[in-house]
Amino acid sequence: MTKDTGSGQMVRALDWRGAFWVAAGVPPLVLFSIGGIAGTTGKLAFLVWIISMIMGFLQSFTYAEMAGMFGNKSGGTSVYGATAWLRYSKLIAPLSVWCNWFAWSPVLSLGCAIAAGYILNALFPIPLADSQPVLDWVAANLASYTAETQSVIDYMAANAGVPVEEAIKAVAAADGVSALTPAFRVFEAYALTIPGLGTLHFNSTFIIGVALMLVILMIQHRGIASTASAQKWLAIIVLVPLLLVGLVPILNGSIDWMNVTNLVPPTAAYSGEDGTWDIGGWTLFLGGLYIAAWSTYGFETAVCYTRELKDPRTDTFRAIFYSGLLCCVFFFLIPFAFQGVLGTSGMLATGIVDGTGVGEALGNMIGGGPVITQIFVILMIMALFMAIMTALAGSSRTLYQGSRDGWLPKYLGEINANGAPSKAMWTDFAFNVFLLALASDVGGYFYVLAISNVGYILFNFLNLNAGWIHLIDSAHMDRPWKAPNWLIGVNTLLAFVNALFLGAGAKVWGYSNALWSGLIFAAFIIPVFWYRHYYQDKGRFPKAAYDDLGLKEGDLGERKAGFLPYLALIAGAVVVLWANWFFVLPG
Protein backbone atom coordinates (compact mmCIF):
# COMPACT_ATOMS: atom_id res chain seq x y z
CA MET A 1 0.00 0.00 0.00
CA THR A 2 1.32 3.45 -0.87
CA LYS A 3 0.37 7.11 -1.02
CA ASP A 4 2.26 7.64 -4.27
CA THR A 5 0.97 7.13 -7.81
CA GLY A 6 3.12 5.31 -10.32
CA SER A 7 4.09 2.65 -7.80
CA GLY A 8 1.98 -0.12 -9.33
CA GLN A 9 0.02 -0.41 -6.09
CA MET A 10 -3.36 0.89 -4.98
CA VAL A 11 -3.00 4.43 -3.69
CA ARG A 12 -4.40 5.78 -0.40
CA ALA A 13 -5.71 8.92 -2.08
CA LEU A 14 -9.23 9.24 -0.60
CA ASP A 15 -10.77 10.48 2.60
CA TRP A 16 -14.38 9.66 3.44
CA ARG A 17 -15.58 12.62 1.38
CA GLY A 18 -13.94 11.20 -1.73
CA ALA A 19 -15.62 7.83 -1.17
CA PHE A 20 -18.88 9.71 -0.56
CA TRP A 21 -18.60 11.49 -3.90
CA VAL A 22 -17.87 8.25 -5.76
CA ALA A 23 -20.98 6.73 -4.14
CA ALA A 24 -23.00 9.83 -5.07
CA GLY A 25 -23.86 8.07 -8.31
CA VAL A 26 -26.35 5.89 -6.40
CA PRO A 27 -29.27 8.39 -6.02
CA PRO A 28 -29.76 8.63 -9.82
CA LEU A 29 -30.41 4.86 -9.81
CA VAL A 30 -33.96 5.77 -8.74
CA LEU A 31 -34.51 6.90 -12.32
CA PHE A 32 -33.56 3.47 -13.75
CA SER A 33 -36.69 1.71 -12.52
CA ILE A 34 -39.06 4.43 -11.27
CA GLY A 35 -41.47 3.76 -14.15
CA GLY A 36 -41.23 -0.02 -13.88
CA ILE A 37 -41.99 -0.01 -10.15
CA ALA A 38 -44.88 2.39 -10.66
CA GLY A 39 -46.28 0.04 -13.31
CA THR A 40 -46.09 -3.06 -11.15
CA THR A 41 -47.16 -1.55 -7.81
CA GLY A 42 -49.44 1.35 -8.82
CA LYS A 43 -50.18 3.77 -5.99
CA LEU A 44 -47.90 1.80 -3.68
CA ALA A 45 -44.81 2.82 -5.67
CA PHE A 46 -43.57 5.68 -3.48
CA LEU A 47 -44.17 3.57 -0.36
CA VAL A 48 -42.12 0.76 -1.89
CA TRP A 49 -39.18 3.12 -2.33
CA ILE A 50 -39.43 4.42 1.25
CA ILE A 51 -39.64 0.93 2.82
CA SER A 52 -36.77 -0.33 0.68
CA MET A 53 -34.57 2.67 1.53
CA ILE A 54 -35.20 2.25 5.27
CA MET A 55 -34.19 -1.40 4.98
CA GLY A 56 -31.05 -0.48 3.05
CA PHE A 57 -30.07 2.13 5.64
CA LEU A 58 -30.50 -0.28 8.55
CA GLN A 59 -28.53 -3.00 6.77
CA SER A 60 -25.64 -0.64 6.10
CA PHE A 61 -24.68 -0.61 9.79
CA THR A 62 -23.77 -4.30 9.60
CA TYR A 63 -21.71 -3.55 6.51
CA ALA A 64 -20.02 -0.57 8.17
CA GLU A 65 -18.79 -2.75 11.04
CA MET A 66 -17.36 -5.37 8.69
CA ALA A 67 -15.69 -2.75 6.48
CA GLY A 68 -13.78 -1.36 9.46
CA MET A 69 -12.43 -4.83 10.23
CA PHE A 70 -10.61 -5.06 6.88
CA GLY A 71 -8.82 -1.76 6.33
CA ASN A 72 -6.41 -3.24 3.77
CA LYS A 73 -9.04 -4.77 1.48
CA SER A 74 -10.77 -3.34 -1.55
CA GLY A 75 -13.90 -4.53 -3.30
CA GLY A 76 -16.65 -3.66 -0.87
CA THR A 77 -18.78 -5.32 1.72
CA SER A 78 -19.27 -8.56 -0.23
CA VAL A 79 -15.54 -9.21 0.19
CA TYR A 80 -15.60 -8.43 3.91
CA GLY A 81 -18.64 -10.60 4.50
CA ALA A 82 -17.33 -13.44 2.34
CA THR A 83 -14.45 -14.00 4.77
CA ALA A 84 -17.00 -15.01 7.42
CA TRP A 85 -18.21 -17.89 5.24
CA LEU A 86 -14.73 -19.09 4.34
CA ARG A 87 -14.48 -21.40 7.36
CA TYR A 88 -17.76 -23.11 6.47
CA SER A 89 -17.47 -23.57 2.74
CA LYS A 90 -14.84 -22.74 0.16
CA LEU A 91 -17.66 -22.07 -2.33
CA ILE A 92 -20.00 -19.79 -0.35
CA ALA A 93 -17.39 -17.05 0.05
CA PRO A 94 -16.70 -16.58 -3.69
CA LEU A 95 -20.44 -16.97 -4.39
CA SER A 96 -21.13 -13.84 -2.31
CA VAL A 97 -18.48 -11.85 -4.19
CA TRP A 98 -19.62 -13.16 -7.57
CA CYS A 99 -23.27 -12.31 -6.88
CA ASN A 100 -22.37 -8.79 -5.80
CA TRP A 101 -20.30 -8.26 -8.92
CA PHE A 102 -22.88 -9.47 -11.44
CA ALA A 103 -25.51 -7.36 -9.67
CA TRP A 104 -23.50 -4.13 -9.86
CA SER A 105 -21.73 -4.57 -13.17
CA PRO A 106 -24.89 -4.33 -15.38
CA VAL A 107 -25.38 -0.71 -14.27
CA LEU A 108 -22.86 0.04 -17.02
CA SER A 109 -24.92 -1.51 -19.80
CA LEU A 110 -28.32 -0.42 -18.45
CA GLY A 111 -27.18 3.15 -17.86
CA CYS A 112 -25.54 3.38 -21.26
CA ALA A 113 -28.70 1.98 -22.91
CA ILE A 114 -30.80 4.78 -21.37
CA ALA A 115 -28.17 7.45 -22.10
CA ALA A 116 -27.99 6.25 -25.70
CA GLY A 117 -31.76 6.63 -25.91
CA TYR A 118 -31.49 10.27 -24.81
CA ILE A 119 -28.75 10.97 -27.33
CA LEU A 120 -30.77 9.35 -30.12
CA ASN A 121 -33.82 11.42 -29.15
CA ALA A 122 -31.74 14.60 -29.25
CA LEU A 123 -29.75 13.97 -32.44
CA PHE A 124 -31.98 11.60 -34.42
CA PRO A 125 -35.55 12.29 -33.24
CA ILE A 126 -38.55 10.35 -34.48
CA PRO A 127 -41.04 12.94 -35.85
CA LEU A 128 -44.48 13.16 -34.30
CA ALA A 129 -47.45 12.09 -36.39
CA ASP A 130 -48.97 15.58 -36.12
CA SER A 131 -45.72 17.44 -36.85
CA GLN A 132 -45.65 19.68 -39.92
CA PRO A 133 -43.09 17.63 -41.90
CA VAL A 134 -45.22 14.50 -41.46
CA LEU A 135 -48.40 16.38 -42.40
CA ASP A 136 -46.67 17.69 -45.53
CA TRP A 137 -45.51 14.17 -46.44
CA VAL A 138 -49.04 12.81 -45.99
CA ALA A 139 -50.52 15.57 -48.12
CA ALA A 140 -48.05 14.78 -50.91
CA ASN A 141 -48.58 11.00 -50.82
CA LEU A 142 -52.19 10.51 -49.68
CA ALA A 143 -53.46 9.93 -53.22
CA SER A 144 -51.34 6.79 -53.58
CA TYR A 145 -53.40 4.99 -50.89
CA THR A 146 -56.69 3.24 -51.70
CA ALA A 147 -58.98 0.73 -50.03
CA GLU A 148 -57.07 -1.99 -51.92
CA THR A 149 -53.65 -1.00 -50.51
CA GLN A 150 -52.42 -3.95 -48.43
CA SER A 151 -51.36 -1.86 -45.44
CA VAL A 152 -54.81 -0.24 -45.36
CA ILE A 153 -56.49 -3.67 -45.53
CA ASP A 154 -54.30 -4.89 -42.66
CA TYR A 155 -55.13 -1.80 -40.58
CA MET A 156 -58.86 -2.24 -41.07
CA ALA A 157 -58.60 -5.92 -40.16
CA ALA A 158 -56.87 -4.98 -36.91
CA ASN A 159 -59.29 -2.13 -36.17
CA ALA A 160 -62.75 -3.37 -36.99
CA GLY A 161 -65.33 -0.72 -37.83
CA VAL A 162 -62.87 1.98 -38.86
CA PRO A 163 -63.99 3.80 -42.05
CA VAL A 164 -61.76 3.52 -45.11
CA GLU A 165 -60.91 7.24 -45.07
CA GLU A 166 -59.69 7.12 -41.47
CA ALA A 167 -57.71 3.95 -42.13
CA ILE A 168 -55.98 5.57 -45.11
CA LYS A 169 -55.04 8.64 -43.07
CA ALA A 170 -53.73 6.56 -40.18
CA VAL A 171 -51.62 4.35 -42.45
CA ALA A 172 -50.32 7.36 -44.37
CA ALA A 173 -49.35 9.11 -41.12
CA ALA A 174 -47.51 6.01 -39.89
CA ASP A 175 -45.70 5.71 -43.21
CA GLY A 176 -44.84 9.41 -43.04
CA VAL A 177 -43.29 9.00 -39.60
CA SER A 178 -41.34 5.99 -40.84
CA ALA A 179 -40.15 7.78 -43.98
CA LEU A 180 -38.93 10.83 -42.06
CA THR A 181 -37.28 8.92 -39.21
CA PRO A 182 -33.46 9.21 -39.52
CA ALA A 183 -31.93 5.98 -40.80
CA PHE A 184 -29.45 5.74 -37.91
CA ARG A 185 -32.30 5.80 -35.42
CA VAL A 186 -33.62 2.46 -36.68
CA PHE A 187 -30.26 1.05 -37.78
CA GLU A 188 -29.60 -2.56 -36.78
CA ALA A 189 -26.62 -4.42 -38.18
CA TYR A 190 -27.61 -7.79 -36.77
CA ALA A 191 -29.93 -9.48 -34.27
CA LEU A 192 -28.98 -12.77 -32.65
CA THR A 193 -31.51 -14.81 -30.68
CA ILE A 194 -30.10 -16.96 -27.88
CA PRO A 195 -32.65 -19.57 -26.73
CA GLY A 196 -33.57 -19.22 -23.07
CA LEU A 197 -31.85 -15.83 -22.76
CA GLY A 198 -33.11 -13.27 -25.27
CA THR A 199 -32.14 -11.43 -28.43
CA LEU A 200 -28.89 -9.52 -28.88
CA HIS A 201 -29.47 -6.31 -30.86
CA PHE A 202 -26.42 -4.75 -32.52
CA ASN A 203 -28.14 -1.48 -33.30
CA SER A 204 -27.68 2.28 -32.90
CA THR A 205 -28.28 2.06 -29.14
CA PHE A 206 -25.51 -0.53 -28.91
CA ILE A 207 -23.03 1.60 -30.89
CA ILE A 208 -23.58 4.75 -28.80
CA GLY A 209 -23.60 2.75 -25.56
CA VAL A 210 -20.22 1.15 -26.30
CA ALA A 211 -18.75 4.60 -27.06
CA LEU A 212 -20.03 5.94 -23.72
CA MET A 213 -18.56 3.00 -21.80
CA LEU A 214 -15.16 3.61 -23.40
CA VAL A 215 -15.20 7.26 -22.28
CA ILE A 216 -15.94 6.28 -18.68
CA LEU A 217 -13.32 3.54 -18.81
CA MET A 218 -10.66 6.06 -19.85
CA ILE A 219 -11.56 8.40 -16.97
CA GLN A 220 -11.26 5.62 -14.41
CA HIS A 221 -7.93 4.36 -15.72
CA ARG A 222 -6.42 7.52 -14.22
CA GLY A 223 -7.09 6.26 -10.68
CA ILE A 224 -9.59 6.66 -7.85
CA ALA A 225 -8.68 10.28 -7.07
CA SER A 226 -9.48 11.29 -10.65
CA THR A 227 -12.76 9.37 -10.48
CA ALA A 228 -13.76 11.01 -7.19
CA SER A 229 -12.95 14.48 -8.55
CA ALA A 230 -15.07 13.93 -11.67
CA GLN A 231 -17.90 12.53 -9.55
CA LYS A 232 -17.83 15.50 -7.18
CA TRP A 233 -18.51 18.03 -9.93
CA LEU A 234 -21.06 15.81 -11.64
CA ALA A 235 -22.86 15.37 -8.33
CA ILE A 236 -23.03 19.09 -7.64
CA ILE A 237 -24.33 19.79 -11.15
CA VAL A 238 -26.87 16.95 -11.15
CA LEU A 239 -28.09 16.36 -7.61
CA VAL A 240 -28.99 19.96 -6.74
CA PRO A 241 -31.52 20.29 -9.62
CA LEU A 242 -32.75 16.76 -8.89
CA LEU A 243 -33.34 17.76 -5.27
CA LEU A 244 -35.36 20.77 -6.46
CA VAL A 245 -37.55 18.43 -8.52
CA GLY A 246 -38.39 16.58 -5.33
CA LEU A 247 -39.00 19.72 -3.25
CA VAL A 248 -40.68 22.21 -5.60
CA PRO A 249 -43.91 20.22 -6.25
CA ILE A 250 -44.35 19.76 -2.49
CA LEU A 251 -43.71 23.42 -1.72
CA ASN A 252 -45.84 24.91 -4.51
CA GLY A 253 -48.81 22.60 -3.98
CA SER A 254 -48.46 20.60 -7.19
CA ILE A 255 -48.96 17.28 -5.42
CA ASP A 256 -52.34 15.71 -6.14
CA TRP A 257 -53.02 13.88 -2.89
CA MET A 258 -55.41 11.51 -4.66
CA ASN A 259 -52.31 10.07 -6.34
CA VAL A 260 -50.69 9.09 -3.01
CA THR A 261 -53.70 7.97 -0.94
CA ASN A 262 -56.00 4.92 -1.00
CA LEU A 263 -52.92 2.73 -1.20
CA VAL A 264 -53.78 -0.58 -2.84
CA PRO A 265 -51.95 -2.65 -5.45
CA PRO A 266 -53.12 -2.59 -9.08
CA THR A 267 -55.32 -5.28 -10.61
CA ALA A 268 -52.35 -6.39 -12.74
CA ALA A 269 -48.93 -5.11 -13.69
CA TYR A 270 -49.21 -1.95 -15.80
CA SER A 271 -53.01 -1.99 -15.63
CA GLY A 272 -53.21 1.41 -13.96
CA GLU A 273 -56.37 0.28 -12.12
CA ASP A 274 -56.73 -0.10 -8.35
CA GLY A 275 -56.94 -3.69 -7.16
CA THR A 276 -57.08 -5.38 -3.75
CA TRP A 277 -54.74 -6.88 -1.17
CA ASP A 278 -55.13 -10.45 -2.37
CA ILE A 279 -52.29 -12.88 -3.17
CA GLY A 280 -51.80 -11.31 -6.59
CA GLY A 281 -51.66 -7.82 -5.11
CA TRP A 282 -49.11 -8.87 -2.50
CA THR A 283 -47.03 -10.50 -5.23
CA LEU A 284 -46.87 -7.23 -7.18
CA PHE A 285 -45.98 -5.31 -4.01
CA LEU A 286 -43.18 -7.73 -3.13
CA GLY A 287 -42.00 -7.58 -6.75
CA GLY A 288 -41.63 -3.83 -6.39
CA LEU A 289 -39.62 -4.23 -3.18
CA TYR A 290 -37.49 -6.83 -4.94
CA ILE A 291 -36.43 -4.56 -7.80
CA ALA A 292 -36.19 -1.39 -5.66
CA ALA A 293 -33.49 -3.07 -3.54
CA TRP A 294 -31.18 -2.99 -6.56
CA SER A 295 -31.15 0.81 -6.27
CA THR A 296 -31.81 1.63 -2.61
CA TYR A 297 -29.23 -0.73 -1.11
CA GLY A 298 -26.58 0.41 -3.57
CA PHE A 299 -24.87 3.02 -1.41
CA GLU A 300 -22.99 0.18 0.28
CA THR A 301 -20.55 0.77 -2.59
CA ALA A 302 -19.13 3.63 -0.46
CA VAL A 303 -16.94 1.05 1.31
CA CYS A 304 -15.58 -0.48 -1.90
CA TYR A 305 -12.52 1.77 -1.59
CA THR A 306 -11.30 0.89 1.93
CA ARG A 307 -7.87 -0.04 0.58
CA GLU A 308 -7.64 3.43 -0.99
CA LEU A 309 -8.78 5.43 2.07
CA LYS A 310 -6.20 7.51 3.93
CA ASP A 311 -7.63 6.49 7.32
CA PRO A 312 -9.92 3.45 6.91
CA ARG A 313 -10.50 3.20 10.69
CA THR A 314 -12.62 6.35 10.67
CA ASP A 315 -13.42 6.94 7.00
CA THR A 316 -15.32 3.69 6.30
CA PHE A 317 -18.21 4.39 8.67
CA ARG A 318 -18.47 8.04 7.70
CA ALA A 319 -18.49 7.21 3.99
CA ILE A 320 -21.32 4.68 4.17
CA PHE A 321 -23.34 6.59 6.80
CA TYR A 322 -23.41 9.91 4.97
CA SER A 323 -23.95 8.18 1.62
CA GLY A 324 -26.97 6.48 3.22
CA LEU A 325 -28.38 9.78 4.43
CA LEU A 326 -27.97 11.28 0.95
CA CYS A 327 -29.83 8.34 -0.57
CA CYS A 328 -32.63 8.62 2.01
CA VAL A 329 -33.32 12.18 0.87
CA PHE A 330 -33.52 11.30 -2.82
CA PHE A 331 -35.25 7.93 -2.60
CA PHE A 332 -37.92 9.43 -0.33
CA LEU A 333 -38.51 12.66 -2.26
CA ILE A 334 -38.17 11.83 -5.97
CA PRO A 335 -40.63 8.88 -6.16
CA PHE A 336 -43.14 10.77 -3.99
CA ALA A 337 -42.94 13.92 -6.14
CA PHE A 338 -43.10 11.94 -9.42
CA GLN A 339 -46.16 10.01 -8.32
CA GLY A 340 -47.84 12.99 -6.67
CA VAL A 341 -47.58 15.10 -9.82
CA LEU A 342 -47.90 12.54 -12.64
CA GLY A 343 -50.24 10.00 -11.05
CA THR A 344 -50.30 6.34 -11.97
CA SER A 345 -51.30 6.98 -15.59
CA GLY A 346 -48.50 9.48 -16.08
CA MET A 347 -45.98 7.10 -14.56
CA LEU A 348 -47.01 4.44 -17.09
CA ALA A 349 -46.01 6.58 -20.09
CA THR A 350 -43.58 4.75 -22.37
CA GLY A 351 -40.82 7.32 -21.84
CA ILE A 352 -41.03 6.92 -18.05
CA VAL A 353 -41.07 3.12 -18.14
CA ASP A 354 -38.04 2.82 -20.45
CA GLY A 355 -36.28 5.81 -18.86
CA THR A 356 -35.86 7.92 -21.99
CA GLY A 357 -38.62 10.41 -21.08
CA VAL A 358 -37.66 10.99 -17.46
CA GLY A 359 -35.60 14.11 -18.25
CA GLU A 360 -38.55 15.76 -19.98
CA ALA A 361 -40.81 14.83 -17.07
CA LEU A 362 -38.36 16.37 -14.60
CA GLY A 363 -38.48 19.68 -16.46
CA ASN A 364 -42.26 19.67 -16.70
CA MET A 365 -42.68 18.92 -12.99
CA ILE A 366 -41.19 22.27 -12.00
CA GLY A 367 -43.12 24.15 -14.68
CA GLY A 368 -40.17 24.69 -16.99
CA GLY A 369 -40.46 25.57 -20.66
CA PRO A 370 -38.64 23.96 -23.59
CA VAL A 371 -35.25 25.37 -22.55
CA ILE A 372 -35.54 24.09 -18.94
CA THR A 373 -36.74 20.73 -20.24
CA GLN A 374 -33.70 20.40 -22.50
CA ILE A 375 -31.43 21.30 -19.59
CA PHE A 376 -32.98 18.49 -17.56
CA VAL A 377 -32.47 16.07 -20.44
CA ILE A 378 -28.76 16.96 -20.39
CA LEU A 379 -28.72 16.60 -16.59
CA MET A 380 -30.32 13.20 -16.93
CA ILE A 381 -27.50 12.03 -19.20
CA MET A 382 -24.99 13.36 -16.66
CA ALA A 383 -26.84 11.56 -13.86
CA LEU A 384 -26.53 8.33 -15.80
CA PHE A 385 -22.81 8.99 -16.18
CA MET A 386 -22.59 9.32 -12.40
CA ALA A 387 -24.31 5.99 -11.84
CA ILE A 388 -22.11 4.27 -14.43
CA MET A 389 -18.94 5.76 -12.92
CA THR A 390 -19.96 4.49 -9.50
CA ALA A 391 -20.75 1.01 -10.81
CA LEU A 392 -17.50 0.60 -12.75
CA ALA A 393 -15.39 1.84 -9.83
CA GLY A 394 -17.05 -0.52 -7.35
CA SER A 395 -17.56 -3.64 -9.46
CA SER A 396 -14.01 -3.61 -10.85
CA ARG A 397 -12.59 -3.44 -7.33
CA THR A 398 -14.77 -6.38 -6.33
CA LEU A 399 -13.18 -8.40 -9.14
CA TYR A 400 -9.73 -7.16 -8.11
CA GLN A 401 -10.06 -8.16 -4.45
CA GLY A 402 -11.74 -11.44 -5.36
CA SER A 403 -8.62 -12.24 -7.34
CA ARG A 404 -6.28 -11.17 -4.52
CA ASP A 405 -8.15 -13.40 -2.07
CA GLY A 406 -7.90 -16.44 -4.32
CA TRP A 407 -11.50 -16.66 -5.51
CA LEU A 408 -11.34 -15.26 -9.05
CA PRO A 409 -8.73 -15.62 -11.84
CA LYS A 410 -5.29 -14.18 -11.09
CA TYR A 411 -5.15 -11.71 -13.96
CA LEU A 412 -7.94 -9.66 -12.32
CA GLY A 413 -5.57 -8.77 -9.46
CA GLU A 414 -3.34 -6.60 -11.65
CA ILE A 415 -3.40 -2.81 -11.44
CA ASN A 416 -1.92 -0.04 -13.59
CA ALA A 417 0.57 2.68 -12.70
CA ASN A 418 -2.24 4.89 -11.35
CA GLY A 419 -3.41 2.24 -8.88
CA ALA A 420 -6.52 1.37 -10.88
CA PRO A 421 -7.55 -2.28 -11.40
CA SER A 422 -7.26 -2.03 -15.17
CA LYS A 423 -7.67 -5.72 -16.04
CA ALA A 424 -10.82 -5.91 -13.93
CA MET A 425 -12.16 -2.78 -15.65
CA TRP A 426 -11.63 -4.27 -19.10
CA THR A 427 -13.35 -7.46 -17.95
CA ASP A 428 -16.33 -5.37 -16.77
CA PHE A 429 -16.33 -3.61 -20.13
CA ALA A 430 -16.34 -6.86 -22.14
CA PHE A 431 -19.13 -8.36 -20.02
CA ASN A 432 -21.25 -5.25 -20.45
CA VAL A 433 -20.76 -5.07 -24.20
CA PHE A 434 -22.61 -8.39 -24.28
CA LEU A 435 -25.28 -7.16 -21.83
CA LEU A 436 -25.71 -3.92 -23.78
CA ALA A 437 -26.64 -5.92 -26.88
CA LEU A 438 -29.23 -7.75 -24.76
CA ALA A 439 -30.55 -4.57 -23.11
CA SER A 440 -30.86 -2.54 -26.31
CA ASP A 441 -34.66 -2.82 -26.22
CA VAL A 442 -37.11 -2.34 -23.34
CA GLY A 443 -37.86 -6.04 -22.86
CA GLY A 444 -34.21 -6.99 -22.65
CA TYR A 445 -33.53 -4.05 -20.32
CA PHE A 446 -35.86 -5.30 -17.58
CA TYR A 447 -34.75 -8.90 -18.11
CA VAL A 448 -31.13 -7.93 -17.40
CA LEU A 449 -32.28 -5.92 -14.38
CA ALA A 450 -34.39 -8.77 -12.97
CA ILE A 451 -31.62 -11.36 -13.40
CA SER A 452 -28.85 -9.17 -11.97
CA ASN A 453 -30.98 -8.46 -8.93
CA VAL A 454 -31.17 -12.19 -8.16
CA GLY A 455 -27.45 -11.93 -7.50
CA TYR A 456 -27.85 -8.77 -5.45
CA ILE A 457 -30.45 -10.26 -3.11
CA LEU A 458 -28.36 -13.42 -2.71
CA PHE A 459 -25.33 -11.31 -1.82
CA ASN A 460 -27.31 -9.30 0.74
CA PHE A 461 -28.67 -12.48 2.34
CA LEU A 462 -25.19 -13.96 2.72
CA ASN A 463 -23.64 -10.69 3.85
CA LEU A 464 -26.23 -9.85 6.52
CA ASN A 465 -25.73 -13.30 7.99
CA ALA A 466 -21.97 -12.74 7.82
CA GLY A 467 -22.40 -10.00 10.42
CA TRP A 468 -23.36 -12.38 13.22
CA ILE A 469 -20.94 -15.08 12.02
CA HIS A 470 -18.08 -12.57 12.38
CA LEU A 471 -19.30 -11.74 15.90
CA ILE A 472 -18.91 -15.39 16.88
CA ASP A 473 -15.88 -16.51 14.89
CA SER A 474 -13.86 -13.28 14.63
CA ALA A 475 -14.41 -11.73 18.04
CA HIS A 476 -10.61 -11.31 18.30
CA MET A 477 -10.51 -8.83 15.42
CA ASP A 478 -10.44 -5.09 15.98
CA ARG A 479 -13.63 -3.21 15.10
CA PRO A 480 -13.01 0.55 14.76
CA TRP A 481 -16.79 1.00 14.63
CA LYS A 482 -19.13 -1.53 16.25
CA ALA A 483 -22.83 -1.89 15.46
CA PRO A 484 -25.15 -2.63 18.41
CA ASN A 485 -25.85 -6.35 18.72
CA TRP A 486 -29.61 -5.76 18.56
CA LEU A 487 -29.16 -4.07 15.17
CA ILE A 488 -27.08 -6.99 13.90
CA GLY A 489 -30.03 -9.17 14.97
CA VAL A 490 -32.59 -6.97 13.19
CA ASN A 491 -30.50 -7.07 10.03
CA THR A 492 -30.30 -10.85 10.24
CA LEU A 493 -34.11 -10.92 10.16
CA LEU A 494 -34.02 -8.56 7.18
CA ALA A 495 -31.83 -11.11 5.38
CA PHE A 496 -34.81 -13.48 5.38
CA VAL A 497 -37.17 -10.67 4.37
CA ASN A 498 -34.91 -10.18 1.34
CA ALA A 499 -35.15 -13.91 0.65
CA LEU A 500 -38.94 -13.49 0.63
CA PHE A 501 -38.61 -10.66 -1.92
CA LEU A 502 -36.44 -12.88 -4.10
CA GLY A 503 -38.81 -15.83 -4.15
CA ALA A 504 -41.96 -13.78 -4.69
CA GLY A 505 -40.68 -10.85 -6.71
CA ALA A 506 -38.39 -12.03 -9.51
CA LYS A 507 -41.33 -13.40 -11.51
CA VAL A 508 -43.11 -10.03 -11.55
CA TRP A 509 -40.90 -8.55 -14.26
CA GLY A 510 -42.37 -10.34 -17.26
CA TYR A 511 -40.07 -13.34 -17.11
CA SER A 512 -41.30 -16.34 -15.14
CA ASN A 513 -37.82 -17.86 -15.35
CA ALA A 514 -35.92 -14.79 -14.06
CA LEU A 515 -35.23 -16.42 -10.67
CA TRP A 516 -33.89 -19.60 -12.23
CA SER A 517 -31.86 -17.70 -14.84
CA GLY A 518 -30.29 -15.67 -12.03
CA LEU A 519 -29.51 -18.79 -10.00
CA ILE A 520 -27.94 -20.45 -13.04
CA PHE A 521 -25.73 -17.42 -13.60
CA ALA A 522 -24.79 -17.47 -9.91
CA ALA A 523 -23.70 -21.08 -10.38
CA PHE A 524 -21.14 -19.98 -12.98
CA ILE A 525 -18.84 -19.19 -10.04
CA ILE A 526 -18.30 -22.94 -9.62
CA PRO A 527 -16.09 -23.44 -12.71
CA VAL A 528 -14.49 -20.00 -12.25
CA PHE A 529 -13.54 -20.74 -8.63
CA TRP A 530 -12.46 -24.30 -9.46
CA TYR A 531 -10.10 -22.99 -12.13
CA ARG A 532 -8.50 -20.46 -9.78
CA HIS A 533 -8.35 -22.49 -6.56
CA TYR A 534 -7.64 -26.00 -7.76
CA TYR A 535 -5.85 -25.35 -11.06
CA GLN A 536 -3.94 -22.11 -10.52
CA ASP A 537 -3.40 -22.31 -6.72
CA LYS A 538 -3.36 -26.11 -6.28
CA GLY A 539 -6.03 -26.03 -3.57
CA ARG A 540 -4.43 -23.33 -1.38
CA PHE A 541 -5.55 -19.78 -0.59
CA PRO A 542 -3.07 -16.86 -0.76
CA LYS A 543 -1.27 -16.04 2.48
CA ALA A 544 -2.96 -12.63 2.61
CA ALA A 545 -6.38 -14.29 2.96
CA TYR A 546 -5.26 -15.80 6.28
CA ASP A 547 -3.44 -12.66 7.42
CA ASP A 548 -6.60 -10.61 7.03
CA LEU A 549 -8.39 -12.92 9.48
CA GLY A 550 -5.50 -12.90 11.93
CA LEU A 551 -4.88 -16.62 11.33
CA LYS A 552 -1.89 -18.78 10.50
CA GLU A 553 -1.40 -19.72 6.86
CA GLY A 554 -3.35 -22.86 6.03
CA ASP A 555 -5.52 -22.64 9.17
CA LEU A 556 -8.99 -21.13 8.74
CA GLY A 557 -9.66 -21.35 12.45
CA GLU A 558 -12.35 -22.93 14.58
CA ARG A 559 -15.95 -23.02 13.38
CA LYS A 560 -17.34 -21.54 16.58
CA ALA A 561 -20.80 -20.96 15.09
CA GLY A 562 -21.15 -24.70 14.53
CA PHE A 563 -24.13 -25.70 12.40
CA LEU A 564 -25.87 -22.30 12.60
CA PRO A 565 -24.49 -20.89 9.29
CA TYR A 566 -25.67 -24.02 7.47
CA LEU A 567 -29.06 -23.70 9.18
CA ALA A 568 -29.30 -20.12 7.93
CA LEU A 569 -28.61 -21.28 4.37
CA ILE A 570 -31.25 -24.02 4.60
CA ALA A 571 -33.82 -21.62 6.08
CA GLY A 572 -33.09 -19.02 3.38
CA ALA A 573 -33.55 -21.59 0.61
CA VAL A 574 -36.85 -22.71 2.16
CA VAL A 575 -38.11 -19.12 2.29
CA VAL A 576 -37.19 -18.51 -1.37
CA LEU A 577 -38.79 -21.72 -2.62
CA TRP A 578 -41.93 -21.31 -0.50
CA ALA A 579 -42.40 -17.68 -1.59
CA ASN A 580 -41.90 -18.63 -5.23
CA TRP A 581 -44.61 -21.29 -4.90
CA PHE A 582 -47.06 -19.34 -2.74
CA PHE A 583 -47.06 -15.92 -4.41
CA VAL A 584 -48.58 -15.79 -7.88
CA LEU A 585 -49.36 -12.96 -10.27
CA PRO A 586 -52.94 -11.64 -10.54
CA GLY A 587 -55.13 -13.67 -12.86
Side-chain angles (χ1 to χ4, degrees), residues 100-117:
N100 179 256
W101 168 72
F102 88 74
W104 259 108
S105 186
V107 175
L108 278 71
S109 53
L110 298 180
C112 285
I114 298 176

Side-chain angles (χ1 to χ4, degrees), residues 113 199 201 203 205 354 436-447 511:
T199 302
H201 295 274
N203 53 18
T205 298
D354 66 20
L436 182 62
L438 185 62
S440 291
D441 63 15
V442 177
Y445 174 92
F446 279 109
Y447 191 38
Y511 302 91

Side-chain angles (χ1 to χ4, degrees), residues 265-286:
T267 55
Y270 299 98
S271 70
E273 299 177 4
D274 290 348
T276 59
W277 284 105
D278 54 12
I279 296 298
W282 276 103
T283 301
L284 294 174
F285 178 61
L286 294 173

Side-chain angles (χ1 to χ4, degrees), residues 66 99 138 150 188 198 203 267 337 356 367 372 376 404 428 532:
M66 291 193 294
C99 285
V138 170
Q150 187 59 50
E188 181 166 88
N203 53 18
T267 55
T356 59
I372 297 297
F376 268 98
R404 301 281 294 183
D428 258 340
R532 170 62 195 271

Side-chain angles (χ1 to χ4, degrees), residues 91 407 525-537:
L91 185 59
W407 300 326
I525 187 57
I526 297 174
V528 172
F529 175 68
W530 183 92
Y531 172 78
R532 170 62 195 271
H533 187 65
Y534 293 103
Y535 180 76
Q536 290 189 314
D537 291 345

Side-chain angles (χ1 to χ4, degrees), residues 154-176:
D154 293 341
Y155 185 90
M156 295 182 68
N159 299 270
V162 175
V164 173
E165 294 78 8
E166 289 186 22
I168 290 175
K169 291 180 180 178
V171 170
D175 288 350

